[in-house]
Amino acid sequence: MIIKVLGSAAGGGFPQWNCNCRNCADVRRGVPGLQPRTQSSAAVSIDGRSWALLNASPDLRQQIAATPELNPSAEDPQRSSPIRCVVLTNADVDHIAGLLSLRESQPLTIYADPRVLSALSASPIFGVLDGRFVERMPIRPDEHFEPAGCSGLIVEAFTVPGKVALYLEDEQAGSDLGTAPGDTIGLKLTDTRSGRFACYVPACAAVDDTLLRRMSGAATILFDGTLFTDDEMIAQGLSPKTGRRMGHISMSGPDGSIAALGRLDVGRRIFTHINNSNPVLRQGSPERARVEAAGWEIAYDGMEVIL
Ligand code: MLT
Ligand code: MN
Ligand code: ZN
């Protein structure tokens, strides 16, 4: 199995268009040790020829252009793509807006939880994905499926503690903002030949026992690395929201992902969906050193993981 990280940044990307935080200002100026990143997305393939996208970021067109494997090759017909399907983990803008770049009457299957499919149906703009070519398939937690065109790959969705998409938040609904199971899922990706598996969890609000059991034994996990500290955006004057309020567990602290996943039996542990405010984006920072000392890698655009 090959997993390619197409975009390793959280929503907004790095730098974010309207952000002048220290990280964004420095990456814009080309300061060494900082690397621009596009928004959260990955692709997975067994044979290197047929690919499933894991989320479709607003930067998808640029991500495809930067990834030779995702483009038609010389001998392919006039209209073709190695991208066979897209599996969505939530309805956040950074995970669905790229679907609009996949119009053009190309056969494709979109897999998502019914809650996420409803969010797509509620927005008429996604009607550009012509139903004669683009199939929308509900996936349910704990069910296995072989994604269209990707033989040898088995995907299993599992519910993850999380939050409904920002634009669907219902302030009247109480502290969970109207969140329901299925709003955020993780994906277990298994290579049927080797039995090895990876977990892709770009958004996660908390690590519970169910999630630990789910990910135990994975060859690789790609996990929510949005913030280093829960109040990082407040401390930097960027936003009044904590990570918790945004539905993202932080890396550090007693409840953070590094501590919570410390004993997990996995091969590689990789943070992705990293917000531009996160100090780990700066090579040589103490936070980067801490994360790496704890055995974590920081995903970058174009990173390839082979299982
Ligand atoms: C998130 O990960 O919290 C969302 O992508 C935020 C957003 O929609 O901008
Ligand atoms: Mn996001
Ligand atoms: Zn910034």
Side-chain angles (χ1 to χ4, degrees), residues 9-270:
F14 185 48
Q16 176 175 312
W17 72 283
N18 66 341
C19 192
N20 213 10
C21 75
R22 182 166 167 246
N23 276 350
C24 285
D26 281 354
V27 76
R28 222 173 256 127
R29 286 194 297 133
V31 170
L34 295 146
Q35 196 176 344
R37 288 154 196 272
T38 60
Q39 296 169 80
S40 171
S41 177
V44 58
S45 177
I46 295 295
D47 60 8
R49 291 193 300 274
S50 301
W51 291 82
L53 295 182
L54 310 178
N55 294 319
S57 99
D59 301 320
L60 184 58
R61 184 187 166 281
Q62 174 191 345
Q63 293 167 340
I64 292 172
T67 312
E69 298 91 323
L70 298 182
N71 288 271
S73 46
E75 63 279 8
D76 285 336
Q78 291 292 81
R79 287 293 173 98
S80 75
S81 169
I83 299 171
R84 304 280 190 253
C85 58
V86 188
V87 190
L88 303 174
T89 63
N90 62 24
D92 282 358
V93 171
D94 57 345
H95 287 162
I96 64 167
L99 292 174
L100 299 176
S101 300
L102 299 177
R103 62 197 186 279
E104 315 293 1
S105 308
Q106 183 67 30
L108 202 65
T109 307
I110 300 170
Y111 298 95
D113 186 271
R115 297 265 304 169
V116 173
L117 289 181
S118 303
L120 296 183
S121 327
S123 299
I125 194 166
F126 289 103
V128 293
L129 295 162
D130 187 332
R132 285 173 298 171
F133 305 96
V134 180
E135 196 175 359
R136 302 181 186 196
M137 293 283 287
I139 55 178
R140 295 201 164 71
D142 309 324
E143 281 178 14
H144 301 85
F145 64 98
E146 182 182 279
C150 297
S151 86
L153 174 66
I154 292 292
V155 177
E156 185 180 345
F158 51 92
T159 45
V160 165
K163 182 184 73 61
V164 70
L166 180 62
Y167 59 94
L168 296 173
E169 287 180 1
D170 178 2
E171 300 274 359
Q172 314 305 319
S175 62
D176 71 0
L177 304 162
T179 301
D183 281 332
T184 308
I185 60 170
L187 302 173
K188 178 178 179 182
L189 311 163
T190 305
D191 183 328
T192 56
R193 283 170 311 182
S194 66
R196 287 160 69 81
F197 70 96
C199 291
Y200 190 66
V201 186
C204 177
V207 173
D208 57 17
D209 288 344
T210 315
L211 184 57
L212 283 175
R213 259 198 313 278
R214 274 287 175 195
M215 298 201 298
S216 175
T220 297
I221 58 169
L222 286 131
F223 194 79
D224 186 341
T226 309
L227 302 181
F228 187 75
T229 39
D230 192 50
D231 68 349
E232 169 182 312
M233 298 194 68
I234 301 170
Q236 295 185 39
L238 302 173
S239 156
K241 289 184 187 170
T242 60
R244 236 175 241 124
R245 170 62 184 79
M246 295 188 295
H248 296 291
I249 189 174
S250 302
M251 296 175 173
S252 65
D255 305 327
S257 50
I258 294 175
L261 301 175
R263 290 176 194 278
L264 189 67
D265 158 38
V266 293
R268 292 172 72 179
R269 45 190 89 212
I270 302 171

